[in-house]
Amino acid sequence: MADYEYDVLVIGAGPGGYVAAIRAAQLGLKVACAESRETLGGTCLNVGCIPSKAMLHASEYFDAASNGTMEHMGIEVSPKLNMEKLHGQRIEAVDGLTKGIEFLFKKNKVDWKKGHAKFVDAHTVEVGGEKVTAKEVVIATGSSVTPLPNVEVDNANHVVVDSTGALELPKVPDHMVVIGGGVIGLELGSVWRRLGAKVTCVEFLDEILPGMDGDIRKESRKIFKKQGIEFKLSTKVTGVSVKGNTATITLEPAKGGDEETMTADCVLVSIGRKPNTDGLGLDAIGLATNDRGQIEVDGEFRTSVDGVRAIGDVVPGPMLAHKAEDEGIAVAEWIAGDTGIVNHDVIPSVVYTWPEIAGVGLTEEQAIEKMGGDKKAIKTSKFPMMANSRAKTNHEPDGLVKVIAEAESDRVLGVWAIASVAGTMIAEAALAMEFGATSEDIAYTCHAHPTHAEAMKEAAMGVQGKPIHI
Ligand code: FAD
Ligand code: NAI
């Protein structure tokens, strides 16, 4: 057998790559991880999940202080925004967590190879001028922003920005136009709306949040509209021109028709993300990508090239940090000779707006399709947060929990929620589904009172037509 310097070389230190590297080292393998960024943690820790949540959390407090919520509870304040401190706490969160990964690498003896990695052959990768050899190479290069034709992003200018630029705006825009009513558009649009910007969201489809349950999409939009976000649905952006600090956005109905224009001092381009494979030298190993630019893998994350596996945003599936992490653990386990399991049918997704929007499993539309179009083959139940004592007491009346179950077996097929803590609540549904629970199992599980989670129990009780509080 050839002699390799490492058992495993992971390319990319995002939540997929760094977790794979650590788990492989825990399993006794000699591991290196190549990362071209100055800091570890990938998109998620540097410019994604973490900084966006830092801005969402802080702006949530500002909003509560300025929109009358706190006053309603007898707390009178006059909030004043300190942008430097607001960004400071974001940077602090990112610094702490990225350094934490560096510590974990040292603790687990994972060697960080700094620089851009490029395949020389299937077992040799050039990183920062050094040739590193490994028995197994894991591609975990993640994703980056999908560009929009005729729209040039310039984060340094703060006028036309992508998600990274939108996290770092030095001042609150007067008018922010968000292109794309997906997760990034709604999360970052919410941040700047709460801090005082007028926000207009332009979405190509006839509803926001594609991929989520139909009722949840419609209800979410109503809530965001009530909060002040304006929506232009079934509309596409055909171009953006910038003069000084003003952007002129050209719009057109999605199906074609008369053009209109709109001006804004900030435009956020958030129309999706694409896998990172450019400059990786895939040609050198004869590895092709599919028509979406993704690397296809089998159940053990093996690509079509022997000794090369791939995980995370660069492979098919939802582009989510926890999906990448779980694949990171699983790929390391396969490489070490164990069995690594990721149940791709039970991956929760959460939009961290106010209220949060979360779901796991099938949407109602997908469940009906799975049952061959037979609507009677499924049962659904919705429980409004308004009827949940804790949400009501906390002045959080918006939202609902929806449970979708198979009519015959009562097995839960999907759970969706809009609630202040929906992201935390959805973990229960994921665990229940992982164990093959029926709606009755959830309904007969004792839930602490008063908690938002009781709405999950009540929605499950509703599947049998017997909720108590509505
Ligand atoms: P990445 O995190 O993208 O990491 C890949 C790493 O590989 C990068 O650091 C890159 O520099 C490096 N790399 C790429 N090519 C090379 C090369 N050739 N050589 C060396 N290094 C290379 N997901 C959630 O689950 N929850 C959230 O709340 C959430 N919020 C988000 C907010 C924003 C604004 C964005 C943009 C994304 C968010 N995501 C969220 C998505 C999440 O960040 C990704 O799904 C996740 O980071 C994917 O992990 P990954 O390890 O596959 O890739
Ligand atoms: P997205 O795929 O969620 O949404 C993009 C939206 O843009 C879609 O609704 C799409 O119909 C629309 N669109 C596409 N082209 C358009 C056009 N020309 N004009 C108008 N609208 C157009 O992508 P987004 O928001 O950029 O996020 C990228 C990825 O990052 C997501 O896949 C998500 O998984 C991940 N992410 C996850 C978060 C979370 O888990 N909370 C937070 C932020 C990002």
Side-chain angles (χ1 to χ4, degrees), residues 6-24:
Y6 290 95
D7 296 314
V8 187
L9 168 67
V10 181
I11 305 178
Y18 84 71
V19 167
I22 291 173
R23 176 49 60 92

Side-chain angles (χ1 to χ4, degrees), residues 12 15-16 35-37 42-43 48-49 53 116-117 142 313 319-322:
E35 172 56 60
S36 55
R37 260 179 225 277
T43 303
C49 323
K53 266 78 253 179
H116 183 88
D313 279 9
M319 288 181 161
L320 296 172
H322 41 280

